[in-house]
Amino acid sequence: MAYSIDEIDRRILRALQLDSSQSQRVLAEKVGLSQNACWRRIRLMEEAGLIRGRSVKLDANALGFGMVVFMMVRTRSHSADWLRRFRAHVSSIREVVDFYRIGGDYDYLLKIVTHDMKGFDRVYQRLIEKLDLETVTSYFVMETIEEHRGVPV
């Protein structure tokens, strides 16, 4: 479904990205609409696929997940079957919170959130146990400056 957003839709989307738990009444007031008009716009944007769901942002450190690692992976194989198995395998690892196929020197980028170095090593060992990878390089986050900023609508 094609949907063209206007400035009111942008205000709704920005407000929802900041806090998707706010009531329809509060959201409608923020964007200058009646509750029904606001609700209708949200439903249309959901039906068009612009809004894919709503979630809660968790504080990883407060929950004991103090290690964030960005892993770059270069593969030897690029067949459709290998890609299907690789995607399924990586997607089965809970600590992999973001997973991208990328262009450049590497083929994939994974964001891993875990408790500590031992937890990261378990993820690494699980990743390489079933698939032959050419290169795996990891970058350890020392400080999170900005995270979950949302789409710049």
Side-chain angles (χ1 to χ4, degrees):
M1 169 187 233
Y3 186 89
S4 180
I5 64 173
D6 62 16
E7 186 52 38
I8 293 173
D9 292 331
R10 290 182 207 293
R11 284 187 273 173
I12 291 170
L13 293 172
R14 284 192 293 263
L16 285 174
Q17 282 190 118
L18 289 174
D19 181 6
S20 66
S21 69
Q22 60 193 306
S23 71
Q24 283 287 335
R25 181 185 57 76
V26 170
L27 178 60
E29 287 175 6
K30 283 182 181 177
V31 301
L33 292 175
S34 70
Q35 282 183 255
N36 284 340
C38 186
W39 178 84
R40 279 192 302 272
R41 283 177 178 257
I42 290 170
R43 285 286 169 246
L44 285 171
M45 288 189 282
E46 287 172 339
E47 290 170 11
L50 300 177
I51 298 173
R52 296 187 314 182
R54 301 179 197 186
S55 62
V56 174
K57 294 178 186 176
L58 302 179
D59 185 320
N61 283 319
L63 291 165
F65 293 91
M67 177 167 272
V68 177
V69 181
F70 288 94
M71 179 183 283
M72 309 292 288
V73 176
R74 184 178 303 123
T75 65
R76 287 189 178 101
S77 178
H78 296 277
S79 73
D81 179 59
W82 190 93
L83 177 59
R84 181 192 51 73
R85 288 185 297 115
F86 178 68
R87 287 180 174 187
H89 182 60
V90 172
S91 295
S92 75
I93 302 172
R94 284 189 350 215
E95 293 86 352
V96 177
V97 298
D98 292 312
F99 179 25
Y100 304 94
R101 186 168 61 90
I102 60 174
D105 290 336
Y106 289 88
D107 300 308
Y108 299 93
L109 169 66
L110 288 63
K111 180 180 179 184
I112 299 165
V113 177
T114 188
H115 296 287
D116 52 24
M117 186 58 79
K118 285 184 182 181
F120 170 71
D121 189 49
R122 282 190 296 274
V123 170
Y124 174 77
Q125 294 300 324
R126 185 166 174 211
L127 179 69
I128 65 170
E129 74 186 354
K130 292 185 180 180
L131 299 166
D132 187 29
L133 304 174
E134 183 173 323
T135 304
V136 176
T137 301
S138 299
Y139 298 92
F140 300 89
V141 172
M142 297 175 63
E143 176 186 14
T144 300
I145 298 169
E146 292 269 354
E147 188 175 49
H148 304 297
R149 293 186 62 188
V151 177
V153 291

